[in-house]
Amino acid sequence: MKTLKNIFSNLHRYVLWVLLSVLLWVWIFSNIDDTIPAKKVSLFIDASCSSRSLSVELEKELPEGLKMIRARPMTYAAFGSNSMEFVDLYIFRESDLKKYQEGLMRFTPPEGVEAKTYVSEDGLIYGLRVYDAATGQGIAKDFIQYVQPGQTAEDYYICIGAKTQHLEATWQVLLHFLELA
Amino acid sequence: MTFYSRQNAEKLLQRNRFHTVLAACVGGLTLAACIVCCCLTTTANLPQMEQLAIAISIVGGWIVIFELTARILPNRRMARHELRILEQEPEQLSGRIEVLDRRVRIPKTIALKQVRLHSVPHDRLLSIREDCVKNLPDGQECTVQVVGGYITGVEEAT
């Protein structure tokens, strides 16, 4: 009885501790789950996705010198003012490509990939199709929901960010991504 | 019968040392377990490890808060109170005891009850530790030992 009485009279301390614990460990683990742009390849996806599962899958072939590969939905960019700036890879829907093309790197097609899968403007290549809305064929469909309920299906393209800090590693991740079923 | 003794104060301080060590151990183990969770974290198991660390931290913290608020601090207050009372010489007062239904709790001190001692030439309002009230002969004539307004012992009139 005395013990219960004591617990109730200090209930505010117990509740405060729960809040502090949650805030502290969420902050610590969000730091563990991230690192500086130079040590990771980040992939932002403009669609619903199983970001953690995709990250785990991509990390199976982690390029040398990197600590992690992070796939994130595009909404994640809202949590940091420069989140979008140093992203290495993007997956955009076709209608958004023009809007973002300023920050995208132009590149030559990797070997074995057919030219028709590239989006080109003024002869420059800046996107590689990963989802074909006409056929419903796409890469990593287990992880990325290319067709949103209530929206018209669109082609999706994977692009390289112009400010990527490790182009070679980004290429390796891009090629690994293209190999996913 | 005396309510205050050096042995009792020392017993309280000894018990306090045990609870302090226990709280420190629980706190240390909690922190260590959470650090282990951080070290074992991978991309795949991060949500599980995060939840585990939060759960361990909450339970460990609750145990420490409980030890602190229910054991360590009350014991320390009681021991200090006893030692302070024992330093002084008690005065003897006789009269009829009336235990008042009035509980006094000065914040961060021990719980007290108020007692009126009906004596000549005037009544005295005294305090007694709540856990000692049961030893007072309520409504009877007796002699009490008093230090600084606290009843430290009682002798029933024969």
Side-chain angles (χ1 to χ4, degrees):
Chain A
M1 191 63 194
K2 205 176 164 189
T3 305
L4 269 180
K5 215 169 160 182
N6 179 279
I7 289 172
F8 278 111
S9 65
N10 288 290
L11 201 60
H12 61 288
R13 290 192 169 97
Y14 291 92
V15 174
L16 190 67
W17 178 251
V18 173
L19 294 176
L20 280 176
S21 284
V22 171
L23 287 176
L24 176 75
W25 291 108
V26 165
W27 179 74
I28 289 173
F29 275 85
S30 69
N31 279 292
I32 291 173
D33 195 32
D34 208 353
T35 186
I36 52 170
K39 293 272 182 193
K40 69 176 175 186
V41 166
S42 44
L43 165 64
F44 273 37
I45 304 160
D46 193 13
S48 300
C49 61
S50 314
S51 51
R52 189 153 300 278
S53 311
L54 182 57
S55 298
V56 172
E57 188 59 41
L58 292 172
E59 275 184 3
K60 283 178 182 168
E61 286 181 27
L62 190 67
E64 208 174 306
L66 288 189
K67 278 175 81 177
M68 55 182 72
I69 298 170
R70 283 292 170 267
R72 314 263 195 210
M74 204 67 98
T75 46
Y76 185 82
F79 297 108
S81 55
N82 64 350
S83 295
M84 281 290 278
E85 206 178 333
F86 295 103
V87 172
D88 302 289
L89 293 166
Y90 300 92
I91 293 179
F92 289 125
R93 64 187 77 220
E94 190 172 19
S95 56
D96 284 338
L97 269 174
K98 274 210 163 61
K99 193 164 78 182
Y100 292 109
Q101 77 183 61
E102 284 294 309
L104 302 178
M105 184 179 280
R106 277 57 170 160
F107 58 89
T108 49
E111 271 180 46
V113 179
E114 289 177 38
K116 65 180 180 183
T117 59
Y118 291 87
V119 169
S120 169
E121 195 177 78
D122 302 332
L124 297 170
I125 294 154
Y126 59 89
L128 183 58
R129 192 163 67 191
V130 291
Y131 178 71
D132 184 352
T135 61
Q137 297 283 313
I139 294 164
K141 278 177 78 179
D142 291 344
F143 307 104
I144 304 169
Q145 202 183 335
Y146 290 108
V147 185
Q148 309 292 321
Q151 284 187 6
T152 320
E154 266 188 85
D155 287 356
Y156 275 82
Y157 293 85
I158 190 163
C159 312
I160 299 176
K163 288 193 176 175
T164 180
Q165 294 181 20
H166 28 60
L167 189 57
E168 201 177 317
T170 303
W171 260 113
Q172 283 181 47
V173 175
L174 174 67
L175 293 174
H176 182 206
F177 178 81
L178 294 176
E179 284 167 10
L180 296 178
Chain B
M1 177 192 285
T2 54
F3 306 139
Y4 290 77
S5 70
R6 199 158 286 278
Q7 289 92 330
N8 193 33
E10 275 163 14
K11 209 167 96 182
L12 281 170
L13 286 174
Q14 201 174 358
R15 203 182 297 163
N16 219 17
R17 273 193 287 274
F18 166 76
H19 284 291
T20 307
V21 170
L22 182 71
C25 285
V26 171
L29 282 174
T30 302
L31 189 64
C34 290
I35 290 170
V36 168
C37 284
C38 291
C39 294
L40 295 177
T41 299
T42 61
T43 303
N45 70 9
L46 187 132
Q48 290 81 12
M49 285 298 175
E50 187 178 36
Q51 284 161 16
L52 187 63
I54 290 172
I56 292 170
S57 166
I58 288 173
V59 174
W62 278 353
I63 294 171
V64 173
I65 292 171
F66 176 78
E67 281 294 312
L68 206 65
T69 57
R71 304 273 185 263
I72 298 168
L73 292 177
N75 280 355
R76 187 187 296 170
R77 283 173 203 142
M78 183 68 86
R80 280 183 183 170
H81 170 74
E82 289 214 14
L83 290 172
R84 208 178 307 125
I85 293 291
L86 288 167
E87 280 170 7
Q88 298 168 53
E89 209 48 51
E91 61 173 318
Q92 305 270 343
L93 297 171
S94 295
R96 186 171 56 82
I97 287 283
E98 183 195 352
V99 178
L100 302 176
D101 197 22
R102 202 184 297 162
R103 196 166 179 262
V104 185
R105 190 178 186 101
I106 305 161
K108 293 188 178 175
T109 60
I110 55 169
L112 302 168
K113 273 234 162 181
Q114 289 208 311
V115 168
R116 192 181 301 277
L117 183 74
H118 298 279
S119 61
V120 180
H122 52 78
D123 294 355
R124 293 276 299 262
L125 194 62
L126 302 168
S127 299
I128 185 166
R129 260 169 35 202
E130 206 172 39
D131 57 315
C132 300
V133 170
K134 59 181 182 293
N135 299 315
L136 281 183
D138 195 8
Q140 290 175 37
E141 289 289 329
C142 64
T143 302
V144 289
Q145 284 114 45
V146 178
V147 173
Y150 294 102
I151 298 175
T152 62
V154 63
E155 282 167 32
E156 284 184 54
T158 48

